[in-house]
Amino acid sequence: MKGLLTKDLRIILLQKNTFFIMIIASLCMINVSLHTMVMFVCYMLCGLAIGTLSYDDFDNGMPYILCLPITKKKYIDEKFLLVFFTTLLGFILAQMIGYIYLFINNNFNIEFFIESLVLLPLMYLIITIQIPIRLKFGQEKSRIINIFSMIIIVVTGTLIIEAFAKIEVLARSIEIIYFILLLIAIFIIYKISIKIISSKQF
């Protein structure tokens, strides 16, 4: 798995132009909403991680990968781990950008971090959904689904932030249920991904 992670990280690092575009776009989105900017940065970074699936398929690459001491389950494990790292990296980068903006505008507060933290597992869930979709339908058909997933992230994330901001009674209990449900959903997606790749012949 270490070898797969190293390969995918090197592929991601080759796409330096995407990083610059992402940072410029995130700076433009700050005036719209800080939380939208957080979701955008995470989504863009994770898009690079999901893109490694296409690189693996290129030039009959999957049969070669599976000839190595790598099982199909380990392959899925690595992709979920890679998406987790890129989601976390995007979250940290977005927090840095957001707090620099808040500091410049003399509005430094901890609420931005807490509210963004609520979005972290949701973003991971919606992005990992792309793994079984990409495995099942391939790159071309997945593009339309990716657009819808981005819309879902922005709309759902905004609604959740607004909902938690209004809830005062039993807010902690509701947040715990929210996180548990997301973890269950992520686990189901993980199992579906393993089932899809196990049924494929390379």
Side-chain angles (χ1 to χ4, degrees):
M1 186 181 295
K2 182 179 178 181
L4 281 177
L5 276 173
T6 302
K7 172 189 70 68
D8 287 344
L9 289 174
R10 287 182 179 275
I11 290 173
I12 291 173
L13 290 174
L14 288 174
Q15 304 178 60
K16 297 176 182 178
N17 292 336
T18 305
F19 285 99
F20 290 115
I21 294 172
M22 179 191 67
I23 292 173
I24 293 171
S26 62
L27 292 174
C28 296
M29 298 182 77
I30 285 180
N31 291 326
V32 178
S33 169
L34 285 176
H35 298 110
T36 301
M37 181 271 295
V38 172
M39 291 183 283
F40 173 78
V41 172
C42 290
Y43 187 86
M44 287 294 292
L45 274 177
C46 290
L48 298 178
I50 296 296
T52 60
L53 288 164
S54 299
Y55 279 94
D56 293 340
D57 281 334
F58 180 72
D59 201 17
N60 206 29
M62 279 302 295
Y64 173 77
I65 291 174
L66 294 175
C67 285
L68 302 172
I70 298 292
T71 63
K72 292 179 177 180
K73 180 181 180 299
K74 282 186 178 180
Y75 180 80
I76 295 298
D77 291 344
E78 186 270 338
K79 293 304 178 186
F80 271 75
L81 190 60
L82 180 67
V83 171
F84 175 77
F85 283 143
T86 50
T87 304
L88 190 60
L89 178 62
F91 178 80
I92 294 171
L93 179 61
Q95 289 296 303
M96 292 172 61
I97 296 172
Y99 272 109
I100 290 173
Y101 174 80
L102 291 173
F103 179 78
I104 292 174
N105 289 274
N106 297 318
N107 191 25
F108 194 88
N109 60 77
I110 193 64
E111 285 77 13
F112 170 58
F113 172 76
I114 296 173
E115 291 174 350
S116 299
L117 197 61
V118 173
L119 294 174
L120 190 57
L122 175 66
M123 290 183 290
Y124 181 66
L125 167 66
I126 296 178
I127 293 165
T128 52
I129 289 175
Q130 295 183 39
I131 295 177
I133 291 173
R134 182 68 66 90
L135 289 171
K136 182 70 175 178
F137 300 106
Q139 182 180 1
E140 295 300 324
K141 293 182 180 179
S142 300
R143 288 179 179 175
I144 298 175
I145 300 173
N146 291 343
I147 295 173
F148 282 107
S149 66
M150 183 59 186
I151 296 172
I152 292 171
I153 287 177
V154 174
V155 174
T156 308
T158 303
L159 292 174
I160 287 174
I161 288 295
E162 292 178 354
F164 278 121
K166 294 177 181 179
I167 296 172
E168 296 181 359
V169 182
L170 299 177
R172 182 168 297 178
S173 299
I174 293 174
E175 288 179 2
I176 291 172
I177 295 171
Y178 162 77
F179 283 116
I180 291 174
L181 290 175
L182 286 179
L183 288 174
I184 293 172
I186 291 168
F187 181 75
I188 292 172
I189 293 169
Y190 168 73
K191 287 295 186 181
I192 291 172
S193 300
I194 293 176
K195 185 175 181 179
I196 289 173
I197 197 170
S198 297
S199 63
K200 295 189 69 172
Q201 298 295 326
F202 297 101

